Amino acid sequence: MPGDALTLGDVIRRFGPALLDQRGATVTPAQRAVLSTLGRCHTAALGGHLYRCDHCGAEHPAYNACGNRHCPSCLGHKSAAWLAEREAELLPVPYFHVVFTVPAEVAALALGNKKVVYSILFRAASETLLEVAANPEHLGARIGFLTILHTWTQTLLHHPHIHCIVPGGGISLDGSRWVHSRETFLLPVPVLSRLYRGKFLAYLAEAARAGTLQFAGVTAPLATPSGFAAFLQDQRDKEWVVYAKPPFGSPEQVLKYLARYTHRVAISDRRILGIQDDSVSFRYRDNERGGHRVMTLQGVEFLRRFLLHVLPTGFVRIRYFGLFANRVRADNLDRCRALIEADPRPQASTSALGTPSAPKATQEERSRCPSCGIGQLRCVAILPRARVPDLEAWAPTAWDTS
């Protein structure tokens, strides 16, 4: 299928049954549900609407979306609405991008304990930023920030890390003024790294004592007290990677960044280049050598990697902390703006928010008939859901996605 516009749903419909046949014992109920839902997205299985051209009479079905948060085909409209809300919350100051990662051994433990370890990742990273920023030796201010959990590399391997979008400054500890950070420096990375490592390992040890961690496979040796103690010591001896990227040049750049990073899953449809007999080819960014390259994986292996990134049910992957915590964000944003106005920095302007974006297609253009290019598509019928067998029995040729 190299010539078609492919989706993740196409890959699931093609190789999902084989994955369950070969590796069904390792697929969790949550992962199976994601496969089943995404495989039905934009197909007759979800029903839809039938459109007819008022010029040439051609008929075009439009099938419903699944709306699942792991589906790359369904995230566009959610991202647009979310970004519109965030635009109103941006402050007229530089923004910094700080990333917290974990060593490979901790990532392996996280695979079998996603909810526990990912929660510790959020807690350790957020507390680290808040404490270091409040220290008078550094910024001496109360800050607020947005955090986003990602769990993947460009080749779909497991690499949990948190992106933090942090305004360049905060409210002074006595609440009387806005404290600006330096233009190109927010907080010292070595200090962040060591405090974060200590917090993370302390919370991990606490989870082990409470019996909330599970050990299997490569992490089985950690099930004994001595094994886990040795594991913790090994992690204490390592330098944990925390890095801060250069500050964004304007609030508009913050929005562009958020558009790329927030409502995103391990792979987008546009990166999937082809489905061969038993394999999938996709494009990835090579961070070591630079540029983009193509990787080809067996279809079952491709889906196995994708399923590594299915989140626990109900787990929140975008969170706010400090001044921007949900219950106090609106009041604190008003306070921040008032204090910034009293002590402005001219180079940090929100005028970029008014920069016109590329014009969007009009409703008339979106509903133009793809067959004749002249007439408009009119809805003439509602299509009921088609009956589809269980995932194991799916036959790719039986799907109607046209």
Side-chain angles (χ1 to χ4, degrees), residues 331-352:
D331 289 342
N332 282 335
L333 283 170
D334 289 341
R335 179 64 177 157
C336 288
R337 290 192 183 96
L339 293 174
I340 292 169
E341 274 188 33
D343 181 21
R345 293 255 176 118
Q347 74 277 8
S349 169
T350 54
S351 60

Side-chain angles (χ1 to χ4, degrees), residues 28-93:
T28 67
Q31 291 172 332
R32 185 184 294 259
V34 167
L35 285 178
S36 179
T37 300
L38 271 59
R40 288 171 163 82
C41 188
H42 289 120
T43 71
L46 296 185
H49 299 80
L50 181 65
Y51 291 86
R52 181 179 299 135
C53 176
D54 60 10
H55 177 76
C56 69
E59 293 186 342
H60 298 274
Y63 296 117
N64 293 329
C66 67
N68 190 282
R69 65 172 172 165
H70 297 95
C71 180
S73 301
C74 291
L75 295 180
H77 70 284
K78 293 182 180 179
S79 176
W82 186 85
L83 285 171
E85 295 176 358
R86 301 291 78 75
E87 180 174 351
E89 297 174 353
L90 289 176
L91 296 174
V93 297

Side-chain angles (χ1 to χ4, degrees), residues 245-260:
K245 295 187 177 183
F248 299 99
S250 69
E252 184 186 44
Q253 290 182 1
V254 178
L255 285 179
K256 288 181 179 179
Y257 174 85
L258 291 176
R260 294 198 308 269

Side-chain angles (χ1 to χ4, degrees), residues 68-76 78-79 82 97 148-156 161 163 245 256-271 283-285 287 292 306 309 311 317-318:
N68 190 282
R69 65 172 172 165
H70 297 95
C71 180
S73 301
C74 291
L75 295 180
K78 293 182 180 179
S79 176
W82 186 85
H97 177 196
I148 309 161
L149 172 68
H150 282 182
T151 62
W152 55 82
T153 67
Q154 281 278 301
T155 55
L156 305 183
H161 55 285
H163 297 266
K245 295 187 177 183
K256 288 181 179 179
Y257 174 85
L258 291 176
R260 294 198 308 269
Y261 273 82
T262 51
H263 293 73
R264 202 174 150 189
V265 293
I267 190 164
S268 62
D269 288 337
R270 66 177 181 275
R271 287 176 55 202
R283 184 178 63 253
Y284 71 98
R285 186 179 64 253
N287 293 324
H292 288 83
F306 173 75
H309 312 292
L311 295 174
R317 58 181 291 270
I318 301 177

Side-chain angles (χ1 to χ4, degrees), residues 10 36 40 63 152 201 229 234 255 259 275 278 291 294 349 363:
D10 292 318
S36 179
R40 288 171 163 82
Y63 296 117
W152 55 82
L201 293 177
D234 286 344
L255 285 179
I275 298 177
D278 60 354
V294 175
S349 169
Q363 179 62 36

